[in-house]
Amino acid sequence: MIDSIPPVVPAGRMRELAQPELALSGGMLLRPWTPYDAPTLVAAHADPDIRHWNRPSRLDLAGAGARIARWHERWQAEKAGTWAIAPEGGRAVGLIGLADIDLAGGSGEILYWLLPAGRGTGVTVKAADRLARWAFDDLGLHRVRITHSVANPASCAVATKAGFPLEGTMRGALLHADGWHDEHLHARLRTDATP
């Protein structure tokens, strides 16, 4: 039987695109991670808040370099895109990514974290909105979601302010060091008005 529903985004589309730099207001941008960013990644994986909400393993410089190289491989495999949130010409203060990409189904999930130097600036809201617009306009996805622990109100505020309405709560969806957490599910469609 021939599949009668064509893919939302044809295979190869993401691989054909060079991972872009995406400008944000206030002199910030989203850019691909480089080996230069390895010390920042090591610091992030040691940060208590990032460790609590994102569950990363500890990294040394070699491990951070290998992780960055893997992110570039995942772009080529059309599985994920990971950007540094950074001032133009400066060191990264955070990470934002589009993961769990399903080109055929037209969906993906945005994930993010910020180091203390970037917190409280509103940059994650701008980054999530900008990445969603790229995912819709340039990549061609139909739906992008954000999930986070219900115990993380800062992440909920980012999702809501970036135009991702709350759709519901997924019970016992993610295991953290302190036990199972319910998670909020937010999503935005290509057809939604830009916030």
Side-chain angles (χ1 to χ4, degrees), residues 13 20 25 41 130 169 172 174 182 191:
R13 169 76 177 133
S25 62
L41 193 56
R130 182 65 186 95
T169 301
L174 190 63
D182 292 351
T191 54

Side-chain angles (χ1 to χ4, degrees), residues 79-81 83 96-99 101 108-110 131 134-135 139 141 144:
K79 295 188 181 293
W83 284 262
I96 192 161
L98 182 63
I101 295 173
E109 181 170 354
I110 289 180
L131 185 53
W134 175 85
L139 186 56
L141 297 183
V144 176

Side-chain angles (χ1 to χ4, degrees), residues 38-62:
T40 301
L41 193 56
V42 170
H45 280 234
D47 180 84
D49 288 330
I50 292 172
R51 290 186 59 76
H52 180 73
W53 298 119
N54 298 277
R55 309 174 312 143
S57 57
R58 291 210 184 261
L59 288 177
D60 58 15
L61 283 174

Side-chain angles (χ1 to χ4, degrees), residues 13-21 32 75-76 83 134:
R13 169 76 177 133
M14 186 171 168
R15 189 172 26 255
E16 292 168 359
L17 300 170
Q19 186 176 359
E21 286 193 357
W75 179 275
Q76 291 301 312
W83 284 262
W134 175 85

Side-chain angles (χ1 to χ4, degrees), residues 104-128:
S107 69
E109 181 170 354
I110 289 180
L111 49 94
Y112 44 79
W113 52 252
L114 278 180
L115 285 161
R119 294 178 190 153
T121 65
V123 71
T124 312
V125 172
K126 295 174 190 175

Side-chain angles (χ1 to χ4, degrees), residues 144-157:
V144 176
R145 68 189 173 278
I146 293 173
T147 63
H148 63 83
S149 169
V150 297
N152 187 347
S155 197
C156 195

